[in-house]
């Protein structure tokens, strides 16, 4: 049996399930789910991510709206865009792609989004509800990881999970989700970061490693316990002159080095990445159905 968790195949399966559900909703005369994305400026990585989100909407039968704004947009103008989306009854959920230009207050933007349409799960109300174990929109990457662990029947209860990296988008929410009382959860969690003493020893205790630090090939076999499960969240560009674009994508884990030791691992690309977009679609579907009782 392969040790590789095939995020790409799993994402395709879940997209088919979502497409089926959209068809059923339409045949019952219900509204077609509608996601909007706001993209400010032309950061190449953001362009790629947003393009992928919009294409994925089309694939499952959602409506999508892409709102592009110049880098020079003012805070007030962006707030007006958000207000319009909050008030537009046809939009079920929307995201404002990050990072934003330096003159924009990202926190204020996140706060301005109606939490009932916050399909990124970044609003403090959604994060607070998640921390309290209440139903909420979960941030896309952590939600995608939970779905992978679930569908691969990877036991988490009572396991020791070590998260590397404490970002708001991945490390911190992941540490909360893995420790909460839920089907995928009930783990004992250690959240490690740049100030952690003897990181190698901490990671070596892990049954489940979630690497989200943004340093290519950071996790090596000397840090990994025999039989561990590794979720590699890293999407790093590393120089590769054999590629036309001059780089390739690499994870935070040295996969070749650790493969003999692990029981499961997610590859990069084709692991966590495709699951992230699927999670956004799932959140949008939940929004269209008004599923969360706030
Ligand atoms: N930038 C990087 N990841 C994300 C994400 O999940 N959502 C948004 N809005 N911006 C991002």
């Amino acid at each position: 049996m392969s040790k590789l968790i095939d995020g790409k195949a799993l994402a395709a399966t879940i997209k088919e399930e979502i497409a089926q559900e959209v068809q059923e909703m339409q045949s019952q005369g219900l509204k077609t789910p509608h996601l909007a994305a706001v993209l400010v400026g032309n950061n190449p990585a953001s362009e790629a991510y947003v393009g992928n989100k919009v294409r994925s909407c089309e694939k499952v039968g959602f409506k999508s709206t892409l709102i592009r704004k110049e880098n020079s947009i003012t805070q007030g103008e962006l707030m007006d865009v958000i207000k319009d989306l909050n008030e537009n009854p046809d939009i079920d959920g929307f995201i404002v792609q990050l990072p934003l230009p330096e003159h924009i207050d990202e926190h204020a933007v996140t706060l301005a989004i109606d939490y009932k349409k916050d399909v990124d799960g970044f609003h403090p109300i959604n994060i607070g509800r998640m921390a309290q174990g209440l139903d909420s929109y979960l941030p896309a990457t952590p939600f995608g990881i939970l779905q992978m662990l679930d569908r691969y029947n990877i036991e988490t209860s009572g396991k020791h999970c070590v998260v590397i990296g404490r970002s708001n988008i991945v490390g911190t929410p992941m540490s909360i989700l893995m420790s909460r009382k839920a089907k995928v959860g009930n783990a004992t969690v250690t959240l490690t970061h740049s100030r952690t003493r003897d990181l190698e020893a901490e990671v070596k205790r892990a049954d489940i490693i979630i690497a989200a630090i943004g340093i290519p090939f950071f996790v090596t076999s000397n840090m990994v316990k025999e039989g561990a499960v590794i979720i590699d969240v890293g999407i790093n560009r590393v120089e590769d002159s054999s590629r036309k674009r001059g780089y390739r994508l690499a994870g935070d884990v040295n996969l070749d080095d650790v493969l003999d030791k692990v029981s499961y691992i997610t590859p990069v690309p084709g692991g966590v990445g495709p699951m992230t977009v699927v999670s956004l679609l799932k959140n949008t579907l939940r929004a269209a159905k008004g599923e969360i009782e706030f």
Side-chain angles (χ1 to χ4, degrees), residues 8-286:
K8 199 172 162 194
L10 182 53
T13 302
I14 297 176
K15 275 187 196 167
E16 276 170 29
E17 293 169 7
I18 295 171
Q20 187 95 38
E21 204 165 336
V22 172
Q23 282 195 351
E24 279 162 25
M25 286 166 77
Q26 287 166 338
S27 68
Q28 290 167 16
L30 297 173
K31 180 179 176 306
T32 299
H34 188 174
L35 174 76
V38 181
L39 175 60
V40 179
N42 41 22
N43 173 314
S46 292
E47 295 257 6
Y49 291 140
V50 171
N52 197 4
K53 289 170 187 180
V54 170
R55 275 194 306 279
S56 297
C57 281
E58 281 162 20
K59 214 163 172 190
V60 299
F62 287 5
K63 273 170 77 177
S64 64
T65 298
L66 172 58
I67 299 170
R68 302 193 68 125
K69 293 289 169 190
E70 297 287 326
N71 220 44
S72 56
I73 192 170
T74 65
Q75 181 88 26
E77 287 164 346
L78 186 53
M79 288 299 189
D80 287 342
V81 173
I82 292 168
K83 187 164 177 283
D84 286 348
L85 291 168
N86 283 342
E87 290 172 357
N88 183 342
D90 196 53
I91 303 285
D92 297 298
F94 68 97
I95 64 157
V96 178
Q97 187 65 25
L98 306 178
L100 289 166
E102 279 202 2
H103 66 277
I104 303 282
D105 179 350
E106 237 170 57
H107 181 64
V109 167
T110 304
L111 264 184
I113 296 172
D114 178 355
Y115 60 86
K116 292 182 179 167
K117 294 190 176 188
D118 169 39
V119 286
D120 253 335
F122 291 169
H123 191 287
I125 289 189
N126 279 308
I127 296 177
R129 288 179 63 93
M130 174 189 74
Q132 293 186 333
L134 298 170
D135 196 12
S136 66
Y137 295 117
L138 298 180
T141 301
F143 187 19
I145 294 169
L146 293 187
Q147 291 176 80
M148 283 203 292
L149 293 169
D150 187 25
R151 301 259 184 149
Y152 271 79
N153 287 315
I154 292 169
E155 183 63 73
T156 58
S157 180
K159 301 292 183 186
H160 189 169
C161 174
V162 174
V163 179
I164 314 175
R166 58 181 157 185
S167 73
N168 284 337
I169 295 184
V170 183
T172 296
M174 209 57 233
S175 69
I176 294 168
L177 290 165
M178 291 301 283
S179 62
R180 74 180 184 168
K181 204 168 187 168
K183 183 170 173 235
V184 179
N186 288 318
T188 303
V189 177
T190 303
L191 179 57
T192 66
H193 46 75
S194 55
R195 301 295 174 93
T196 297
R197 244 186 286 161
D198 203 353
L199 184 77
E200 184 180 324
E202 295 292 346
V203 178
K204 201 152 188 171
R205 271 197 281 277
D207 302 304
I208 301 167
I209 299 167
I210 299 173
I213 33 164
I215 303 175
F217 315 118
F218 182 81
V219 176
T220 47
S221 66
N222 56 310
M223 303 165 79
V224 176
K225 182 167 80 175
E226 196 73 41
V229 172
I230 304 187
I231 306 295
D232 187 350
V233 188
I235 302 181
N236 308 291
R237 289 184 178 191
V238 296
E239 237 184 76
D240 185 342
S241 55
S242 73
R243 305 288 175 102
K244 221 172 24 191
R245 56 188 182 179
Y247 69 87
R248 67 190 158 91
L249 295 179
D252 289 348
V253 180
N254 187 332
L255 187 138
D256 294 335
D257 190 39
V258 303
L259 194 59
D260 278 348
K261 273 189 161 174
V262 300
S263 58
Y264 275 115
I265 185 165
T266 63
V268 177
V272 173
M275 293 300 296
T276 297
V277 178
V278 158
S279 302
L280 179 66
L281 298 176
K282 279 214 150 186
N283 279 343
T284 306
L285 188 63
R286 300 197 75 196

